Amino acid sequence: MFSRACSRISRTGLNPFRWRYPCLSASNSAVAAYYQLLSNSNPTITPSLSKYAWGSIGNTSCSFSHDARHHIHYSATSTVEDQSDPFSLVADELSLLADRLRSMVVAEVPKLASAAEYFFKMGVEGKRFRPTVLLLMATALNMPVSMSSADRLSPARVVDNLETQLRRRQQCIAEITEMIHVASLLHDDVLDDADTRRGVSSLNSLMGNKLAVLAGDFLLSRACVALASLQNTEVVSLLAKVVEHLVTGETMQMTTTSEQRLNMQYYMEKTYFKTASLISNSCKAIALLAGHTAEAATLAYEYGKNLGLAYQLIDDVLDFTGTSASLGKGSLSDIRHGIITAPLLFAIEEFPQLGEVVQRGLENPADIDLALDYLGKSQGIQKAKELAVKHANLAAEAIDSLPESDDEDVRRSRRALIDLTHRVINRTK
């Protein structure tokens, strides 16, 4: 097992950008059970999920040396860079990606073309959070890899060309990930009968459910074509599994039993499938394309997984605390659809009678008001935030556990990835 001595690198030396999120206290049975999942591989998790247990990189074997060579050190002169916007570091590449994505979703049938490009148009592209993470990860992993003798003897211009080709292939992963993500949004909006998305009318409300579903299918087909062009079977398999996970997660949400909908482990498994699998496996694909070791690829995966889980936990909190204007979609959306998320699950631990209200289906507006009243009296919101913070810490630790690099671009990108964990926790939309 990857020991804490290896994975948990002191964060006090990251001056002045270090912070230590508070740990979540195991004060009730739901949290205690969840921490059991965090601390070891739990045999109760289904076989297909056991390797994706919600634990830290402490559950992963690692052969990196424990010595100081593999610690990341930053000088005091990097204060301004530490506080720079992670999105600005890859702004030029994001612009290129946006242009390529718009060209990739062109269709011969005008209606389909309009539908497919709907969320790729200027102004409604979203935060482009996932492409940003992947481009930063590509730079953060820009470490020496094993090369053949011929490659080491190649002229510098040939090596530079190989590096350029690698970067383009990694950009392709970012494009594929964004297409898969948008396709999942289109399908989700149909299933949820959503009216808005990203602050504008949802595609299904404008063009109908059938065209919205077909547009999502079209984006997935384009993503498959781009994926095949990489000619890397391991990466193809990895991202194909992501699509399976998206379907699995949505099906889990639609078919929950009364017992499952009140189970924290079930909720976290579903959250991994619906949200965290895409970014975690895409981060891993970035490492695999570059020829990195299994250990480095696992650390990239752990970063994406924990960042994705933290992101969704905060999303679930904002569904209760945010406004429709700030979220770009309706607030209280989950509870109105009978979807039980972490804040309510924690609240039920304090007020078991809330579980009885939830089990009635939340179809009655009076039951929704009662559930919200219990939530307001509980620590559910705070405990969900603390759980998000725990995963944000684990994501930051994965970056800290990468081998040390003297390359300033690498170090800047790693700081930006850690900065993103902070932004995920503190976001308001």
Side-chain angles (χ1 to χ4, degrees), residues 377-395:
K377 293 186 293 185
S378 76
Q379 294 295 309
I381 294 291
Q382 181 60 30
K383 288 180 178 178
K385 287 181 179 178
E386 290 173 351
L387 186 54
V389 159
K390 175 68 178 179
H391 282 289
N393 269 333
L394 293 173

Side-chain angles (χ1 to χ4, degrees), residues 138-160:
T139 303
L141 291 172
N142 189 17
M143 306 173 294
V145 296
S146 58
M147 300 175 65
S148 67
S149 300
D151 286 337
R152 283 194 294 268
L153 296 174
S154 296
R157 64 179 179 276
V158 175
V159 174
D160 289 344

Side-chain angles (χ1 to χ4, degrees), residues 28 53 65 84 129 163 176 187 193 207 294 313 317 322-323 327 348 370 398 403 414 418:
N28 56 50
S65 169
S84 65
F129 177 77
E163 291 176 353
I176 291 165
H187 289 163
D193 197 25
M207 298 186 175
L313 284 162
V317 167
T323 64
L327 298 176
I348 290 170
L370 184 57
R414 292 181 183 181
I418 293 174

Side-chain angles (χ1 to χ4, degrees), residues 53-326:
W54 323 123
S56 71
I57 47 183
N59 289 333
T60 309
S61 62
C62 178
S63 60
F64 289 143
S65 169
H66 297 188
D67 66 31
R69 290 190 310 249
H70 298 300
H71 292 191
I72 304 170
H73 300 289
Y74 298 101
S75 68
T77 60
S78 61
T79 302
V80 175
E81 292 170 348
D82 283 340
Q83 297 173 344
S84 65
D85 179 9
F87 296 89
S88 69
L89 293 179
V90 291
D92 290 341
E93 280 185 282
L94 286 176
S95 180
L96 288 173
L97 260 63
D99 290 340
R100 288 199 200 109
L101 282 167
R102 281 189 283 271
S103 66
M104 291 169 76
V105 299
V106 172
E108 294 180 5
V109 180
K111 277 283 187 181
L112 180 58
S114 297
E117 69 180 12
Y118 186 67
F119 283 121
F120 294 107
K121 293 187 295 186
M122 300 278 288
V124 290
E125 299 156 300
K127 298 177 286 291
R128 294 182 290 189
F129 177 77
R130 289 157 190 81
T132 298
V133 169
L134 296 174
L135 293 174
L136 289 172
M137 182 62 73
T139 303
L141 291 172
N142 189 17
M143 306 173 294
V145 296
S146 58
M147 300 175 65
S148 67
S149 300
D151 286 337
R152 283 194 294 268
L153 296 174
S154 296
R157 64 179 179 276
V158 175
V159 174
D160 289 344
N161 185 51
L162 290 173
E163 291 176 353
T164 301
Q165 290 179 21
L166 170 61
R167 189 68 179 194
R168 179 64 191 95
R169 286 160 62 81
Q170 291 172 323
Q171 289 172 354
C172 189
I173 293 292
E175 293 158 7
I176 291 165
T177 299
E178 190 68 359
M179 284 191 283
I180 293 174
H181 172 60
V182 172
S184 73
L185 297 184
L186 296 178
H187 289 163
D188 282 355
D189 285 348
V190 170
L191 292 170
D192 298 340
D193 197 25
D195 294 323
T196 58
R197 169 72 69 176
R198 293 181 175 175
V200 298
S201 297
S202 63
L203 182 63
N204 53 294
S205 69
L206 286 177
M207 298 186 175
N209 287 342
K210 291 181 180 180
L211 197 55
V213 170
L214 289 173
D217 293 345
F218 177 74
L219 292 179
L220 288 175
S221 70
R222 285 299 168 95
C224 288
V225 171
L227 189 55
S229 73
L230 294 174
Q231 298 182 335
N232 185 307
T233 55
E234 190 172 6
V235 169
V236 169
S237 177
L238 202 61
L239 294 185
K241 179 65 71 173
V242 166
V243 178
E244 177 188 329
H245 285 171
L246 288 169
V247 175
T248 299
E250 193 61 49
T251 304
M252 289 174 71
Q253 182 166 288
M254 292 170 58
T255 61
T256 51
T257 65
S258 58
E259 181 180 349
Q260 288 169 335
R261 72 196 313 229
L262 301 184
N263 185 292
M264 177 65 81
Q265 179 182 334
Y266 188 88
Y267 161 80
M268 292 303 292
E269 289 175 354
K270 180 197 71 175
T271 299
Y272 169 78
F273 283 143
K274 281 178 60 69
T275 303
S277 174
L278 176 59
I279 189 63
S280 60
N281 284 296
S282 295
C283 283
K284 184 175 182 180
I286 290 289
L288 292 176
L289 280 180
H292 287 299
T293 63
E295 290 81 11
T298 298
L299 289 170
Y301 168 87
E302 287 291 334
Y303 174 84
K305 181 188 74 174
N306 286 293
L307 187 72
L309 292 173
Y311 190 99
Q312 186 58 49
L313 284 162
I314 294 299
D315 217 46
D316 292 342
V317 167
L318 291 175
D319 192 57
F320 291 105
T321 63
T323 64
S324 296
S326 66

